[in-house]
Amino acid sequence: IIKSFKKHFRDVWESNINISTKLSYYRSFKSSFMKEPYLDLVDNCKDRHNLTRLRISAHHLEIERGRYRNVPKDKRICPWCKLCLGSDIIENEHHLLNECDLYATN
């Protein structure tokens, strides 16, 4: 019974990550159902919590906030880059980690 339950859970997990548009970032690096090493490697509980939230799109970036306000994806602009650079860059996880000056300084 337990083996069957685990298989069913994995099948549902795999199906959900493949059809959910919300999980597109998560899907870009998570391809198998297993415990992630960062859960043991990141000692600081707050850092681990924030990293997990970023990975599952449970954050306050415009890419997520706009979803709940029915803003088209291409209009979920980074307010900082719009204000400082006059740029219409989508505020998503990639932008946060690789591009935005606001997040680079914190």
Side-chain angles (χ1 to χ4, degrees):
I1 291 177
I2 292 174
K3 203 175 205 179
S4 175
F5 178 73
K6 285 182 180 180
K7 181 179 180 345
H8 175 72
F9 186 85
R10 285 178 190 230
D11 290 345
V12 169
W13 173 84
E14 192 172 276
S15 175
N16 285 339
I17 67 165
N18 287 327
I19 61 172
S20 174
T21 57
K22 177 184 169 73
L23 296 175
S24 61
Y25 180 68
Y26 181 73
R27 188 173 44 249
S28 73
F29 55 81
K30 180 75 171 172
S31 60
S32 62
F33 183 78
M34 61 180 216
K35 182 179 178 183
E36 291 298 317
Y38 81 91
L39 292 169
D40 294 322
L41 297 173
V42 179
D43 292 326
N44 184 293
C45 184
K46 186 175 181 180
D47 291 343
R48 192 171 48 249
H49 176 80
N50 287 331
L51 183 55
T52 300
R53 287 181 57 139
L54 182 66
R55 287 173 53 100
I56 65 171
S57 296
H59 49 63
H60 299 290
L61 299 176
E62 276 301 312
I63 195 69
E64 245 347 90
R65 292 177 50 196
R67 174 190 315 279
Y68 297 103
R69 297 188 319 255
N70 294 318
V71 175
K73 199 174 211 176
D74 64 331
K75 304 289 185 209
R76 300 176 194 171
I77 306 302
C78 175
W80 177 260
C81 291
K82 180 72 173 177
L83 177 68
C84 296
L85 305 174
S87 179
D88 288 343
I89 298 172
I90 296 172
E91 187 185 40
N92 58 21
E93 298 88 351
H94 176 79
H95 178 69
L96 169 116
L97 295 170
N98 300 300
E99 300 169 346
C100 189
D101 291 341
L102 175 65
Y103 299 111
T105 59
N106 291 328

